[in-house]
Amino acid sequence: MSDTKKTLTLITGADRGIGFETAMALAKLGQHILLGSRDRDRGIEAVNKIKDAGYDAELIVLDVTSQDDISRAQATVNKKYGHLDILINNAGIALDNHKDAAILSVDVIRKEFDVNFFGTVSMIQAFIPLLKKSPSAKIINVSSNMGSLGLASDPNSRFYKVSSLGYQSSKAAVNFATITFAKELADTHITVNSVNPGWTATAFGGRDTNQPAPVGMQSVQKGAQQIIKLASDPRNDLNGTFTENEGTLPW
Ligand SMILES: NC(=O)c1ccc[n+]([C@@H]2O[C@H](COP(=O)([O-])OP(=O)(O)OC[C@H]3O[C@@H](n4cnc5c(N)ncnc54)[C@H](OP(=O)(O)O)[C@@H]3O)[C@@H](O)[C@H]2O)c1
């Protein structure tokens, strides 16, 4: 068993976008990154970028919709380290293209739930035993302001008129998982929180990153900021929260 003294952090969907930015930043802060990618080649490329910069990372091939992949990842981390300090459930997809709920395919909604919600819950369930072996552990669920029921039902919110039923309800479900696990694990040293990155210039939702980012879209550095802040905070005293760079969000 490898005895790393570094904080051991597993990030799903970390070969690009907010996940990669978070991985690089946390590696720079001295954490050992287990970089989740469902594509081996892209995962190796991402790991090498972190190593070439002089920091620590290793690849975990992981599709969060595959129970086999999750079990294999858990077994690998268990055998090599025997514990996990931080799990960042970042992998996510949005496929609705703002179609009206009346015509949105249920198959599309199901796919979004498979990755965003069931993937997150399956990862948490699989890794709780290893997180329990850390002296201070964190689960950070990358959610979205699009999943806030409070904002979606507030006529004064810009989200009032937004309609992406599959994505929004899957992220609302992620938030429910955060609340549920935060309560269930409250008497352990594992905290569970949701974070909203905000509207961020990645390839998310099929955006062509060769095109200029729309006005108001923030940089990937800004998008990863609150996740990095939570993951690197030595206090670990927040539990059951939903936050973004600007503060707390309504559930
Ligand atoms: N960008 C935004 O405006 C925004 C706003 C609010 C919340 N978020 C949330 O932030 C998170 C990261 O988004 P992003 O903007 O960085 O998106 P991104 O650039 O599209 O990256 C998403 C990552 O998730 C991975 N992924 C997708 N399906 C997966 C699966 N089944 N198993 C494992 N990994 C999978 C992708 O891998 P592949 O390359 O293999 O597909 C990719 O690495 C998501 O949870 C998203 O909902 C984003």
Side-chain angles (χ1 to χ4, degrees), residues 103-176:
I103 55 161
L104 181 63
S105 149
V106 167
D107 286 343
V108 165
I109 300 174
R110 238 182 230 121
K111 278 189 189 145
E112 291 171 306
F113 265 82
D114 267 347
V115 178
N116 299 348
F117 177 65
F118 294 117
T120 294
V121 172
S122 304
M123 284 296 294
I124 293 173
Q125 289 179 339
F127 280 91
I128 280 175
L130 292 184
L131 291 161
K132 280 189 171 165
K133 292 192 181 147
S134 160
S136 175
K138 302 175 188 176
I139 296 169
I140 298 172
N141 294 326
V142 180
S143 179
S144 172
N145 44 16
M146 298 266 287
S148 163
L149 296 173
L151 294 177
S153 56
D154 175 0
N156 296 315
S157 163
R158 67 190 164 94
F159 293 98
Y160 190 72
K161 292 205 168 123
V162 171
S163 178
S164 280
L165 180 64
Y167 182 67
Q168 289 180 285
S169 56
S170 68
K171 290 296 189 181
V174 166
N175 284 347
F176 214 100

Side-chain angles (χ1 to χ4, degrees), residues 16-245:
R16 61 186 168 93
I18 293 166
F20 178 74
E21 186 63 29
T22 303
M24 179 65 98
L26 292 177
K28 278 185 189 168
L29 289 170
Q31 299 191 7
H32 183 84
I33 304 301
L34 303 172
L35 187 147
S37 171
R38 60 178 173 167
D39 183 287
R40 181 175 292 279
D41 291 342
R42 269 189 290 120
I44 290 172
E45 215 177 293
V47 163
N48 285 342
K49 276 190 208 161
I50 296 176
K51 284 187 173 169
D52 290 349
Y55 308 108
D56 274 355
E58 68 185 88
L59 174 63
I60 300 278
V61 175
L62 177 58
D63 181 330
V64 299
T65 65
S66 160
Q67 199 53 54
D68 284 351
D69 277 13
I70 292 175
S71 301
R72 204 176 306 120
Q74 201 267 10
T76 302
V77 178
N78 187 29
K79 189 165 175 211
K80 196 159 178 193
Y81 300 102
H83 76 284
L84 181 68
D85 298 306
I86 303 179
L87 169 63
I88 302 180
N89 288 305
N90 165 77
I93 56 170
L95 308 172
D96 317 67
N97 288 321
H98 296 279
K99 269 194 188 149
D100 283 349
I103 55 161
L104 181 63
S105 149
V106 167
D107 286 343
V108 165
I109 300 174
R110 238 182 230 121
K111 278 189 189 145
E112 291 171 306
F113 265 82
D114 267 347
V115 178
N116 299 348
F117 177 65
F118 294 117
T120 294
V121 172
S122 304
M123 284 296 294
I124 293 173
Q125 289 179 339
F127 280 91
I128 280 175
L130 292 184
L131 291 161
K132 280 189 171 165
K133 292 192 181 147
S134 160
S136 175
K138 302 175 188 176
I139 296 169
I140 298 172
N141 294 326
V142 180
S143 179
S144 172
N145 44 16
M146 298 266 287
S148 163
L149 296 173
L151 294 177
S153 56
D154 175 0
N156 296 315
S157 163
R158 67 190 164 94
F159 293 98
Y160 190 72
K161 292 205 168 123
V162 171
S163 178
S164 280
L165 180 64
Y167 182 67
Q168 289 180 285
S169 56
S170 68
K171 290 296 189 181
V174 166
N175 284 347
F176 214 100
T178 295
I179 292 172
T180 303
F181 282 110
K183 289 190 289 186
E184 198 167 303
L185 297 170
D187 60 353
T188 71
H189 46 266
I190 307 172
T191 60
V192 191
N193 293 287
S194 276
V195 172
N196 166 47
W199 197 38
T200 306
T202 63
F204 190 65
R207 197 182 78 81
D208 181 353
T209 49
N210 293 316
Q211 296 297 317
V215 177
M217 207 175 209
Q218 66 187 0
S219 69
V220 71
Q221 289 79 14
K222 197 105 195 282
Q225 201 172 293
Q226 179 65 4
I227 308 169
I228 296 163
K229 189 176 163 198
L230 264 189
S232 58
D233 186 347
R235 287 170 303 185
N236 198 15
D237 55 359
L238 285 184
N239 192 33
T241 67
F242 182 24
T243 60
E244 59 182 5
N245 291 341

